[in-house]
Amino acid sequence: PIFTFGQSVSTFPWVSDFDNFVNLEQDLNDDGDWSLKQGSTSSIGTGPSGDHTTGFGVYAYTESSGNGIGFPNKQFISYTPTFDVSATPGRMLSFWYHMHGATMGELEIAIIDTAGSYIFIDAFDGNKGDQWYFAHYYLDSFNIQHDFKIAFIGNTGTSFTSDIAIDDIMVSDQFPVIYGCLD
């Protein structure tokens, strides 16, 4: 992917819930852009019925409808702003994701730093059901050496029922995660 690094975010927490209709930076060389949406996606049997935060707000998603446009196996890449955590180690990345659809593809999360390194964080694939899931990662565990962006890479499946959504992205101080209380 081709991208640029601008001024770095160094004040935390940084939060994107998309409710201000400001999207993430879109990759110019992928197959399509992550779109912002309120309510259900336009396709039956895929996507969320509302955002994670309130059910009435905004989320980002990959629209997999349109043979040759949204599927099969199309890649949608978006990036957070650039982060500088050198003066404030101990940051955590957290977000919510939704992957409902019979032909679901994959959501990959990665770190791309200013030196050009690609650091894999995690990937989810397949139909997860019609609900939001919480993901969190301690960024210090990835031995990040430079300023970086977080990449959200949505790969659609074999048909239109593979809309992938993300919401409530946050880079913050670490917080205790008690399973069962957040999902």
Side-chain angles (χ1 to χ4, degrees):
I2 297 175
F3 56 93
T4 60
F5 286 92
Q7 184 176 0
S8 296
V9 174
S10 59
T11 304
F12 301 96
W14 174 86
V15 178
S16 178
D17 64 6
F18 304 107
D19 286 346
N20 58 4
F21 289 94
V22 174
N23 207 344
L24 299 176
E25 176 186 351
Q26 302 299 313
D27 191 289
L28 301 176
N29 298 307
D30 60 357
D31 297 315
D33 291 342
W34 286 77
S35 301
L36 298 180
K37 184 75 175 164
Q38 279 183 294
S40 299
T41 62
S42 59
S43 304
I44 295 173
T46 189
S49 58
D51 79 326
H52 166 261
T53 317
T54 64
F56 302 102
V58 180
Y59 57 91
Y61 82 110
T62 61
E63 176 55 68
S64 60
S65 295
N67 192 4
I69 298 169
F71 75 88
N73 309 313
K74 299 295 181 178
Q75 191 169 70
F76 298 73
I77 305 172
S78 64
Y79 305 100
T80 64
T82 303
F83 297 108
D84 174 2
V85 297
S86 61
T88 56
R91 300 295 114 197
M92 172 182 266
L93 165 67
S94 62
F95 61 93
W96 291 82
Y97 67 97
H98 190 284
M99 297 175 68
H100 170 58
T103 60
M104 184 53 60
E106 178 185 73
L107 173 62
E108 182 174 336
I109 303 91
I111 294 167
I112 301 176
D113 70 20
T114 55
S117 297
Y118 180 93
I119 303 166
F120 175 82
I121 295 178
D122 206 349
F124 309 101
D125 63 4
N127 185 2
K128 305 294 183 201
D130 191 5
Q131 65 185 45
W132 287 95
Y133 289 91
F134 181 69
H136 68 284
Y137 306 92
Y138 299 103
L139 292 173
D140 286 354
S141 67
F142 295 99
N143 194 29
I144 302 166
Q145 301 295 315
H146 305 280
D147 292 358
F148 64 94
K149 295 181 179 194
I150 304 294
F152 290 90
I153 305 160
N155 297 297
T156 62
T158 57
S159 185
F160 71 92
T161 57
S162 58
D163 293 350
I164 300 168
I166 56 175
D167 201 7
D168 297 325
I169 304 166
M170 183 167 63
V171 175
S172 66
D173 290 339
Q174 292 183 17
F175 53 86
V177 176
I178 302 168
Y179 292 98
C181 293
L182 294 173
D183 54 25

